[in-house]
Structure formats: structure tokens, C-alpha cells
Amino acid sequence: MMGISGFEPTFLVGLQAIRDEHGQGLAALGGRRLTGFALVRFIENGDWYADCPVVLDFDGVQVEISHWKFDELSISWNTIDTAAAITGWEEDDDPTPVWSGTDERLEPFVGQELREVALLVWHPSSRDDMAGGTVAVEFVFDRGRFCIANGLDENSIEVGEALPEWVRHPLGGGIQPD
């Protein structure tokens, strides 16, 4: 899919479906170090292509997160080859996508030990908010946190304290800070 080697997303909707399918695997990441990450960027301007999965490496366990539509989330494990070229973008005027290990939001977390993973569910104050019920994946470290959220049909990366509209659902298995 999208010319990404190994990427075959299975999109799920709702907290329970995501927790049932991936909760144990995400919780088991607790205690591992974030050793790297990969995002798709365009060679021509360096812009992040947020439609592609966010790939996080925790000491050799790779988790691949991708949001789609308004409420669908795919989490996959160790399937994407970020060393392989992204294919299928052959038009002359199309930008050239490549995997990149640079991002000012994620770089400060590389080398840190993951303390906890939680699923976040968006509960807006307005009933007119189309994002209501979307699920994000939060990664908590000693020196901060980030989450991969639904940016309304693409991924977004949020760093720092979560907005109050996010309701946390810890997955357990994390380790306590010293």
C-alpha cells in the first residue's frame, strides 16, 4: 500500500477493538528504549507526508501506526522495511517520498526508556466535533510524552501534556520511574 514495502494495514475502530488487538503488545514495550523512528518526507522540500505510517523502533521491536479517515487506526508490528525505496510515485511532477529519521518532535525521545503506553480517546465538549471517539497512542517517558493521533484522515504528532479532551486508558505493563 502506498508503495511502502511490507505495509498492509488493518484498520480498527474504537477503543475496545484496538485494545483487544494490540493492548498487550503495546504494554510490553514498557521498559524498552526508543532507538529510532522513521517518517516519510519529500526530498524536494523536506515536508512530512502525514498520510504514511509513523514507524517507531523500541530496541528492535518496530511498531507502525497509521490513522485513516476520521476514526480508523492501524497498528502493525515489524512489517515495514524502511530501508526499501518507496515506489509507485512515477509522475514527473510528483514529489519524491523517502524514509527519514529526522523530526524535531521525536528526536528528543530517542534513547529514552519508555515508561508507559496508553490509548487516548477524544471526548470533545462539542457534539459537533467530528473527531469525537478517535483513538490515539500515547508514549510516556521520564522526560516527556508524545502521541500519534488522528489529524482528520492522517497522522499527527502531539508532544507535551495532553489536551483535557483526551481521556487516558493506560495499558499497564509499564515500569515505574525510579
Side-chain angles (χ1 to χ4, degrees):
M1 180 174 211
M2 302 174 100
I4 296 174
S5 178
F7 183 48
E8 295 183 21
T10 301
F11 290 99
L12 300 172
V13 176
L15 174 67
Q16 196 61 48
I18 295 163
R19 185 182 4 223
D20 288 351
E21 186 69 24
H22 298 290
Q24 285 186 318
L26 289 167
L29 294 174
R32 292 178 170 269
R33 293 197 182 280
L34 179 64
T35 52
F37 63 87
L39 305 173
V40 173
R41 294 193 176 277
F42 294 120
I43 289 176
E44 292 78 4
N45 58 16
D47 286 349
W48 173 37
Y49 187 50
D51 287 346
C52 293
V54 174
V55 178
L56 305 168
D57 190 304
F58 290 95
D59 287 327
V61 176
Q62 184 171 284
V63 59
E64 305 141 358
I65 300 170
S66 187
H67 288 87
W68 190 46
K69 298 186 180 178
F70 293 111
D71 59 355
E72 296 185 17
L73 171 61
S74 174
I75 298 172
S76 53
W77 301 88
N78 302 309
T79 63
I80 296 175
D81 182 0
T82 60
I86 299 170
T87 60
W89 296 56
E90 273 75 32
E91 299 298 320
D92 290 335
D93 58 348
D94 280 347
T96 309
V98 294
W99 287 106
S100 172
T102 62
D103 186 84
E104 64 187 26
R105 296 161 296 188
L106 297 178
E107 287 167 0
F109 296 98
V110 174
Q112 286 195 52
E113 188 173 300
L114 183 65
R115 294 296 179 178
E116 182 184 33
V117 180
L119 297 176
L120 307 179
V121 179
W122 185 256
H123 284 285
S125 57
S126 168
R127 294 181 190 260
D128 297 333
D129 189 334
M130 292 174 55
T134 61
V135 178
V137 184
E138 177 186 55
F139 299 90
V140 180
F141 301 84
D142 278 343
R143 296 186 313 264
R145 55 133 339 250
F146 69 85
C147 77
I148 310 301
N150 188 318
L152 300 181
D153 198 27
E154 62 184 18
N155 297 299
S156 71
I157 299 171
E158 299 177 5
V159 176
E161 290 301 315
L163 295 171
E165 289 84 0
W166 285 119
V167 176
R168 289 185 91 247
H169 299 270
L171 294 173
I175 61 176
Q176 298 301 312
D178 298 329

